[in-house]
Amino acid sequence: MKKVVIIGAGSWGTALGLVLASKEYEVTMWEYDREKAEEIQSLRENKRYLPGIKFPDNLNVTSESKDLLRGIKYVIFSVPSQVLRGVIRNFSHQLTEEMILVNTAKGIEVSTGMRLSQVMKDEIIGKYHKNIVVLSGPTHAEEVAIGIPTTIVAAGIKEKAGEIQELFNTKNFRVYLNEDIVGVELGAAVKNCLAIGAGIADGMGFGDNTKAALITRGIAEMVRFGKVLGADERTFSGLSGIGDLIVTCASKHSRNRHVGECLGKGQKIEEILSNMTMVAEGVPTVKAVYEQAKDLGISMPIVEATYNIIYNNANAKNMVEALMERELKVEFY
């Protein structure tokens, strides 16, 4: 029986745990908060994030970290992007050259501007770098946990990404491969920023036309940003680009769209975040993307408007102005 450890017992970590457990692997989720870990283990469900979905016997939760990774080949990191560095550092002494390290968070580290695989590399020794795989795509935990058909991308060195494809593939959870880890990570990060913008338009009462415009022009921003940073433009036409952008901009499950909708209705960001139990990765990530785009001279008006609404208390109407009042040059899409 394969053994897998998932670092992080939030909604996405739990959903992935359920997928792996359905394949009869022995799955252990690590939760840093002892009381929460004991509660989940006792109730046999993650009542906080995925209530009503019972755990099978081969899915368990612990808060103990000593020797947690001994004998484990597959280690899945499912923690918020801004705490990933600290978590990797805490477990780095347990890593071995045989392990495959999978990151599932979507974002950019604000303090450094690094992509998350770069953060991981920064905290582990060089011979482990080839073992990093990114798992990303148009997925919501609430749907994956109940077996709704889902597709996702494993990005990294082909051999390692292929192992993760095999590890996760089920009839309802299909994994595609992509060696463009830069494009997959940037698509995942930028789409969260754009989803906040789409939510702002929703909150202001605009319609489907405006949403379509935001998504389409958002793809243009994503491509411009990604190309400058070394991504393959084709990646943004796939699951981890336009696919993830569509689902995050449109879904009722989207935390980032929810944040934007509340902003569009006039709420302050502090109030919105204080009422949320889950992390909206786009809030810190939009700062990192905006600052990089500004430094590199990349035109990203939707990201800029979103940043100003969140961090400079700009009026939400700036989001639509970013679409409708900017000076147009010759553009074909």
Side-chain angles (χ1 to χ4, degrees):
M1 178 185 290
K2 290 181 180 177
K3 295 182 179 181
V4 183
V5 167
I6 299 175
I7 307 296
S11 58
W12 189 225
T14 301
L16 291 176
L18 290 163
V19 171
L20 294 170
S22 74
K23 299 186 72 173
E24 299 185 356
Y25 304 151
E26 185 178 324
V27 183
T28 301
M29 293 195 302
W30 178 81
E31 163 59 52
Y32 79 97
D33 186 303
R34 178 175 294 181
E35 289 186 7
K36 289 180 181 177
E38 290 176 350
E39 178 185 88
I40 297 170
Q41 180 68 9
S42 174
L43 294 175
R44 305 300 299 153
E45 70 175 277
N46 195 333
K47 204 173 185 67
R48 180 181 178 88
Y49 296 122
L50 295 171
I53 302 175
K54 292 297 183 181
F55 288 6
D57 292 340
N58 56 326
L59 175 58
N60 292 286
V61 185
T62 183
S63 62
E64 296 296 326
S65 58
K66 185 180 179 181
D67 297 328
L68 179 66
L69 305 185
R70 179 178 291 177
I72 301 298
K73 182 174 183 179
Y74 304 104
V75 184
I76 318 298
F77 291 90
S78 187
V79 297
S81 60
Q82 305 309 313
V83 303
L84 178 63
R85 180 180 293 276
V87 173
I88 291 285
R89 184 179 298 156
N90 288 340
F91 284 99
S92 60
H93 67 284
Q94 296 190 41
L95 304 184
T96 68
E97 198 168 359
E98 292 73 35
M99 289 178 181
I100 297 182
L101 311 175
V102 182
N103 174 53
T104 70
K106 300 175 179 180
I108 293 175
E109 188 177 55
V110 175
S111 60
T112 64
M114 287 181 173
R115 292 179 287 105
L116 299 184
S117 64
Q118 293 175 312
V119 171
M120 295 175 76
K121 289 178 180 179
D122 212 29
E123 293 295 333
I124 63 178
I125 60 178
K127 64 181 179 179
Y128 300 161
H129 290 186
K130 66 182 183 299
N131 295 339
I132 294 173
V133 175
V134 171
L135 195 65
S136 186
T139 53
H140 285 302
E142 295 85 351
E143 297 186 0
V144 170
I146 58 175
I148 289 178
T150 299
T151 54
I152 198 168
V153 173
I157 295 173
K158 188 175 182 180
E159 176 191 352
K160 306 298 180 180
E163 283 198 55
I164 297 308
Q165 180 186 50
E166 182 180 350
L167 182 75
F168 276 97
N169 259 341
T170 73
K171 66 177 183 179
N172 288 327
F173 194 83
R174 184 164 185 175
V175 184
Y176 289 81
L177 301 182
N178 192 327
E179 294 183 85
D180 178 23
I181 197 168
V182 177
V184 168
E185 287 190 300
L186 292 179
V190 175
K191 64 92 184 179
N192 280 333
C193 309
L194 300 170
I196 295 176
I200 290 170
D202 285 344
M204 294 178 69
F206 290 97
D208 293 338
N209 293 355
T210 311
K211 176 74 71 68
L214 279 159
I215 290 173
T216 308
R217 296 311 306 163
I219 294 167
E221 294 189 21
M222 184 185 290
V223 170
R224 284 197 292 267
F225 189 67
K227 286 173 67 177
V228 171
L229 293 176
D232 184 336
E233 183 176 349
R234 294 172 298 177
T235 296
F236 302 116
S237 298
L239 290 168
S240 60
I242 188 171
D244 208 357
L245 179 62
I246 290 170
V247 77
T248 312
C249 287
S251 175
K252 63 183 179 181
H253 299 304
S254 171
R255 293 166 247 172
N256 294 287
R257 195 207 65 81
H258 168 76
V259 167
E261 183 176 17
C262 293
L263 287 168
K265 291 178 179 178
Q267 295 183 43
K268 299 297 183 184
I269 190 65
E270 297 80 9
E271 176 190 357
I272 298 166
L273 297 181
S274 68
N275 289 325
M276 294 179 66
T277 58
M278 292 186 279
V279 175
E281 292 280 23
V283 175
T285 299
V286 75
K287 186 175 190 293
V289 172
Y290 167 76
E291 289 175 350
Q292 282 197 48
K294 184 178 179 182
D295 290 344
L296 295 168
I298 304 169
S299 175
M300 301 185 76
I302 298 172
V303 167
E304 181 178 354
T306 303
Y307 169 82
N308 283 325
I309 291 166
I310 292 174
Y311 289 99
N312 294 328
N313 294 314
N315 194 298
K317 70 177 183 179
N318 287 12
M319 178 53 58
V320 178
E321 289 175 357
L323 280 176
M324 307 304 290
E325 295 185 12
R326 60 189 287 255
E327 181 181 353
L328 285 179
K329 298 179 183 179
V330 177
E331 297 195 31
F332 293 94
Y333 64 95

